Amino acid sequence: MEKLVLLRESMRRDNVSACIIADADPHNSEYPSEYYRARSWLSGFKGSNGLLLVMQERAGLWTDSRYFLEAEAVLHSTGIELFRMGEQGVPSWQDWLAEHVVAGDTVAADASCMSLAAWTELADRLDKKDCRLADKDYISPIWTDRPPLVFTDVWELPENAAGESSVARIKKVRRLVYEHDAVGFILSSLDEICWLLNIRAMDIAYNPLASSFLIVRNNDSLLFIKHEKLDSTLVEKLKNTGIMLFDYYEFFELVGKQKGLLLADFYKTPASVRKHISPDAELKHAESPVALLKARKNTTEIENMRQTLIADSRALVKFAMWLESEWEKGSTITEQDAAKKLEYFRNLDERFICHSFAPIVGFAAHGAIVHYNTLSSPISDMKGDGLLLVDSGGHYKWGTTDITRVFLKGRAEKQAIFDYTAVLKAHINLARAVFPVGLSGQHIDILARGELARLGLSYGHGTGHGVGYLLSVHEGPSSIRTDGAGHALMPGMILSNEPGLYRKDLWGIRLENLVLVKQSTANEFGSFLELETLTLFPFEPALVDFSMLREEEKDWLSSYHKTILKTLDSILEKEENAWLSKKCMPFIKLTV
């Protein structure tokens, strides 16, 4: 690849042995802007998770099981090796790097695009091998047509939609500053800043976020943002709440003028902050309190999310009816057609803003590619019988959705029905969970995964992720997975429930609803939590083997589909209600 040749030439001139390239920005964003997608540009692999490590003779890309199939296809003939993270015998990129460098080597990375915690850990590890970690941006000089950063208009989330004022929220962060006898707390995460200030923008595709930095100090706050993108009313309001406005690009200069103890979450703060800190200042790690605060939705946010999911259900009913009608007529439909039509139906609601992530619409074998990139893939017709996996979501005023369903075209194979029912059982078992306060998503993941494990089946991704409130569709600090989900689940958190099963070259099945963590009971044995399913859209009866279901699973399905019919009845047209009843009634009759 010509791009790799140019990179290696630059590395050779500086006597750099290895270069770390990631799709990463100074805000530790899951989905950085196009400007920061250096790994995607250099390798051609555009998955949301992946790291590229380039040496003079070898180059490797590390990604997880969601992207193995996509990465295999993209990296073919590029000279870049694929390292399948999580597979037995596959080293982490850190281990592989440590094995291949020798004393005196220099490893380069862009410190503005790596967290302070990750930078420190890697630098310490390299130091033990007498190697050096250098801050160097090798991409900008060779990416001659690099897209510019985008700054869009910033708008305010009204207090009656947020459920709390920005002043009240800032006070909660300021308490931490007082407790540490510090002068300020540095915030770099865009969703945390936007939540804290009740502002939104569209600086990053599918994410209603404004590119910014924030320093919350004892008596005021410094906001670094393209303030010409704020209207005069919002500017005045921010200033009246003690927020001083500076240009986005002034952050590193002005952070260097702060004196005294500064707090920052080292796992979310760019490593380049450290080199700008004044000798008269000290930088100390403190876990950001904002992540947990915004994850526990207040009553206003929860109610608005409920209404948002109802609105989204109406769009999904319209989409499913259109899809089945076109299939019955024998129309030629591509995956891209379906993705655009789904957006069309969502856009009929005046509250709709945009999709919350790039829709995954994969027919047959494409459904087995966990994070199939429909819109950037070649046009693909849905020919013959098969399963269509649709994973999509929307940002609305006010709320965010994420749902996955599998639609049946034609007749289903027995194996497909078995697989679908197995995943449905896993989904239900988690949806019915009641568990003691203090457990994390890591503890309850087995409720879903265990159902499939009994059948000798599994999946390589997490079972659930937190969902933001008109913020990022993937939100910490809690998730439901076998690793990295250590934070306790708490009332008010909204997460996904999405077990899956994927058979290469055949189909993919994933069934996803959003669930609310809420109080269940409290007695002499302790306090217990449960999950309330918020998403309202039917499963596919033609893909369910009812003989595989236990009575409690049938009861849950019956109750769920009754709730769907009751809730959506008043917002659907006559024909839509008829279609919905046809989909729901087979489940309801199970317990009659």
Side-chain angles (χ1 to χ4, degrees), residues 310-351:
I310 291 172
D312 205 48
S313 296
R314 178 168 52 190
L316 288 162
V317 167
K318 293 178 183 295
F319 168 75
M321 290 178 64
W322 167 82
L323 184 67
E324 291 184 358
S325 174
E326 293 300 309
W327 281 344
E328 288 172 3
K329 290 187 294 186
S331 303
T332 300
I333 305 173
T334 68
E335 294 167 336
Q336 291 74 16
D337 291 335
K340 293 174 183 176
K341 199 68 174 182
L342 180 53
E343 183 175 21
Y344 166 78
F345 285 122
R346 282 193 168 116
N347 206 36
L348 293 177
D349 192 307
E350 61 182 9
R351 294 165 293 183

Side-chain angles (χ1 to χ4, degrees), residues 310-583:
I310 291 172
D312 205 48
S313 296
R314 178 168 52 190
L316 288 162
V317 167
K318 293 178 183 295
F319 168 75
M321 290 178 64
W322 167 82
L323 184 67
E324 291 184 358
S325 174
E326 293 300 309
W327 281 344
E328 288 172 3
K329 290 187 294 186
S331 303
T332 300
I333 305 173
T334 68
E335 294 167 336
Q336 291 74 16
D337 291 335
K340 293 174 183 176
K341 199 68 174 182
L342 180 53
E343 183 175 21
Y344 166 78
F345 285 122
R346 282 193 168 116
N347 206 36
L348 293 177
D349 192 307
E350 61 182 9
R351 294 165 293 183
F352 180 70
I353 298 172
C354 66
H355 277 310
S356 54
F357 55 96
I360 300 168
V361 181
F363 184 69
H366 288 166
I369 303 174
V370 181
H371 273 203
Y372 178 61
N373 196 329
T374 306
L375 298 182
S376 64
S377 296
I379 301 297
S380 180
D381 293 340
M382 293 184 255
K383 296 178 179 178
D385 294 349
L387 304 185
L388 174 67
L389 184 149
V390 179
D391 184 351
S392 69
H395 290 301
Y396 292 77
K397 294 181 180 179
W398 312 103
T400 296
T401 72
D402 186 359
I403 179 174
T404 308
R405 286 295 188 270
V406 173
F407 300 92
L408 172 62
K409 182 174 184 281
R411 299 182 63 182
E413 298 180 26
K414 288 183 178 180
Q415 185 64 59
I417 293 173
F418 178 89
D419 288 352
Y420 185 97
T421 308
V423 175
L424 180 59
K425 287 168 67 68
H427 179 99
I428 294 172
N429 206 36
L430 180 59
R432 297 178 60 249
V434 179
F435 50 95
V437 167
L439 295 192
S440 73
Q442 193 166 358
H443 294 113
I444 68 171
D445 179 272
I446 191 61
L447 296 176
R449 205 175 296 272
E451 280 293 315
L452 289 167
R454 289 188 184 96
L455 301 170
L457 304 170
S458 188
Y459 50 97
H461 55 76
T463 303
H465 57 84
V467 176
Y469 178 72
L470 193 51
L471 293 165
S472 300
V473 73
H474 295 149
E475 176 180 78
S478 293
S479 59
I480 304 172
R481 56 188 309 114
T482 56
D483 63 319
H487 202 288
L489 297 171
M490 296 181 177
M493 290 181 172
I494 294 177
L495 301 99
S496 65
N497 170 7
E498 51 178 309
L501 179 59
Y502 311 91
R503 293 193 185 273
K504 185 177 180 181
D505 299 328
L506 291 176
W507 54 68
I509 297 168
R510 186 165 61 254
L511 301 176
E512 176 186 18
N513 285 340
L514 299 191
V515 296
L516 169 68
V517 182
K518 57 188 292 187
Q519 188 71 41
S520 179
T521 59
N523 53 38
E524 68 271 26
F525 298 103
S527 186
F528 300 87
L529 301 175
E530 62 183 359
L531 303 177
E532 176 192 347
T533 296
L534 300 178
T535 304
L536 298 169
F537 190 77
F539 296 106
E540 176 49 66
L543 285 170
V544 178
D545 180 351
F546 295 124
S547 69
M548 290 175 59
L549 303 179
R550 298 186 293 268
E551 286 305 312
E552 59 269 27
E553 294 168 341
K554 295 176 182 178
D555 290 342
W556 186 91
L557 275 171
S558 179
S559 176
Y560 177 61
H561 286 85
K562 284 179 181 177
T563 300
I564 292 172
L565 287 174
K566 181 179 178 181
T567 306
L568 301 186
D569 177 72
S570 62
I571 68 167
L572 298 179
E573 301 294 333
K574 182 179 179 180
E575 296 80 4
E576 294 166 347
N577 268 316
W579 178 91
L580 188 63
S581 295
K582 184 178 179 181
K583 290 293 183 182

Side-chain angles (χ1 to χ4, degrees), residues 100-125:
H100 286 80
V101 293
V102 296
D105 278 355
T106 296
V107 177
D110 186 346
S112 69
C113 296
M114 184 181 289
S115 75
L116 188 48
W119 184 276
T120 302
E121 181 181 349
L122 182 59
D124 289 346
R125 185 165 184 173

